Amino acid sequence: MLLSIVSAALPALRLLDPERAHGIALRALSWGLAPAASAPDHAALAVDCLGLRFSNPIGLAAGFDKNAAAGPALLRLGFGFVETGSVTPRPQPGNPKPRMFRLSEDGGIINRLGFNNLGLSVYTRNLARLSRRSIPVGANIGINKEGADPVRDYKALVEAVRTLVDYTVINVSSPNTPGLRDLQTEAQLRSILQAVGSVDGRPPILVKVAPDLSQDGLASVVETCVEQGVQGLILGNTTISRPAGLKSIHAGEAGGLSGLPLQPLSTRMLARAYLLARHRLVLIGAGGIFTGGDVLTKIRAGASLVQLYSSFAFHGPALIPRLKAELLAGLREARLTTVQDAIGTRAQELAEQV
């Protein structure tokens, strides 16, 4: 019943400015207005990685719940894991509005939010409410637009969240904080990871990278992460590119593009990362996942787990059981017994797609 009510409300929310609609959805979730998953996940969907057990590989990407305010409700929706943030050490308002644009005709979203969040103190207080959780929770961490010292700040953020989450993501790839993507260069990234690596009792560390990296840049990131003991990569963040054929009047807005238009680029990069990593890193695939077939393609490109953002914003909680059912059907059609059997089985082919 609750799922039906939530689904019925989505068309009305789509009539609103996307950032306002997002805020209303978060408030509803924080009030507990969310359906719970109706059944346990099929055993074939389970994934073991990062020292954790995931009952299914489908997670919620960072950016949806920046302050971990809606955590309890999000954990009940049927995701295999939920990533909160991005959080910065100090609160910041982000970039001027309007800064979020729905590309309905293209199945995409452009945002230039700029790490708007309430800061580390509020974030850790909200995370503490999730100490009893049934699925893994991650923290996505970033730096403030002004007064940042990346080495100092990323280390302090990892220290602050290390006992509150199951993994932590170093976000060096948002296009909406000036200079942030420069931190993906070898020397800068190594300095940050060396500082983070000195934190005792840290959870598994992953790095979230841009889908716009060159092949050489991606190879450098992979080797630096392996060298510094990072456990995984998220591929990838939003893109600053604009694929040909976008129909929306908002297609020319500045910011990072997510959703369906990002799918070919992010999947190709994921497959290339899998071939470069050679089983030394756990990969999480993100970008343009709208069907169970999309989930399976990401996994066959090399992902152990996947993340959603735009499709969840468009379709709401009803999307999650549909994706899991379609993923199971796809596994059977491909004569694969489990999700783990599928990882990387099409990486070479997908890495070469134009």
Side-chain angles (χ1 to χ4, degrees):
M1 175 65 75
L2 189 52
L3 181 57
S4 299
I5 294 171
V6 172
S7 298
L10 283 174
L13 288 176
R14 291 195 198 103
L15 297 175
L16 302 176
D17 168 82
E19 187 169 357
R20 186 181 176 199
H22 185 195
I24 291 171
L26 275 178
R27 281 196 296 275
L29 286 165
S30 68
W31 295 335
L33 299 177
S38 59
D41 289 327
H42 194 288
L45 299 182
V47 177
D48 293 304
C49 63
L50 301 172
L52 302 165
R53 176 78 168 179
F54 299 83
S55 64
N56 75 76
I58 302 167
L60 179 63
F64 189 85
D65 188 8
K66 292 176 181 288
N67 301 303
L74 289 173
L75 301 191
R76 295 195 299 267
L77 293 179
F79 286 113
F81 63 109
V82 168
E83 189 172 309
T84 57
S86 295
V87 64
T88 56
R90 290 172 282 107
Q92 64 181 22
N95 294 320
K97 297 179 180 179
R99 56 193 182 178
M100 194 172 188
F101 306 89
R102 191 185 294 115
L103 280 64
S104 299
E105 303 93 328
D106 305 300
I109 293 172
I110 290 175
N111 91 82
R112 51 174 181 262
L113 292 164
F115 281 170
N116 57 310
N117 73 104
L118 298 177
L120 185 60
S121 178
V122 170
Y123 181 73
T124 53
R125 187 163 65 245
N126 287 339
L127 279 180
R129 297 163 52 212
L130 307 180
S131 57
R132 295 182 180 179
R133 54 184 178 266
S134 57
I135 63 173
V137 170
N140 187 296
I141 59 176
I143 56 173
N144 288 104
K145 182 177 181 179
E146 297 177 354
D149 178 329
V151 172
R152 175 199 67 197
D153 293 346
Y154 280 113
K155 180 182 179 182
L157 286 159
V158 170
E159 287 175 332
V161 303
R162 65 182 178 85
T163 63
L164 300 173
V165 293
D166 300 294
Y167 70 92
T168 302
V169 179
I170 311 296
N171 189 340
V172 288
S173 54
S174 169
N176 302 314
T177 295
L180 187 76
R181 287 191 167 192
D182 295 340
L183 301 180
Q184 295 173 113
T185 60
E186 184 176 342
Q188 294 263 49
L189 185 58
R190 179 179 288 110
S191 296
I192 292 167
L193 296 179
Q194 284 175 343
V196 166
S198 69
V199 177
D200 291 333
R202 64 189 179 280
I205 301 294
L206 294 88
V207 174
K208 187 168 186 174
V209 298
D212 307 306
L213 280 174
S214 66
Q215 180 76 350
D216 288 344
L218 178 60
S220 174
V221 166
V222 167
E223 293 306 321
T224 301
C225 287
V226 171
E227 171 195 311
Q228 295 301 320
V230 167
Q231 281 72 45
L233 291 176
I234 299 181
L235 302 119
N237 214 316
T238 57
T239 180
I240 57 174
S241 69
R242 295 294 182 267
L246 294 176
K247 301 179 181 66
S248 172
I249 60 171
H250 300 301
E253 292 287 348
L257 172 66
S258 62
L260 276 176
L262 177 57
Q263 187 185 97
L265 175 63
S266 60
T267 302
R268 182 169 64 248
M269 186 179 183
L270 168 64
R272 290 175 176 174
Y274 179 81
L275 298 175
L276 289 165
R278 302 191 304 278
H279 307 290
R280 296 173 295 169
L281 297 168
V282 171
L283 305 183
I284 299 179
I289 296 172
F290 278 70
T291 70
D294 297 335
V295 176
L296 185 55
T297 297
K298 294 285 189 187
I299 292 167
R300 299 191 76 175
S304 296
L305 305 167
V306 302
Q307 290 182 329
L308 317 175
Y309 179 92
S310 296
S311 60
F312 184 63
F314 276 109
H315 298 295
L319 175 70
I320 304 165
R322 174 170 67 78
L323 289 181
K324 290 190 283 190
E326 291 173 353
L327 175 57
L328 271 174
L331 287 171
R332 291 173 183 140
E333 185 177 347
R335 298 185 180 180
L336 295 162
T337 305
T338 68
V339 164
Q340 298 208 161
D341 294 334
I343 297 171
T345 54
R346 292 182 59 203
Q348 188 67 56
E349 170 197 348
L350 292 167
E352 296 169 357
Q353 287 193 350
V354 177

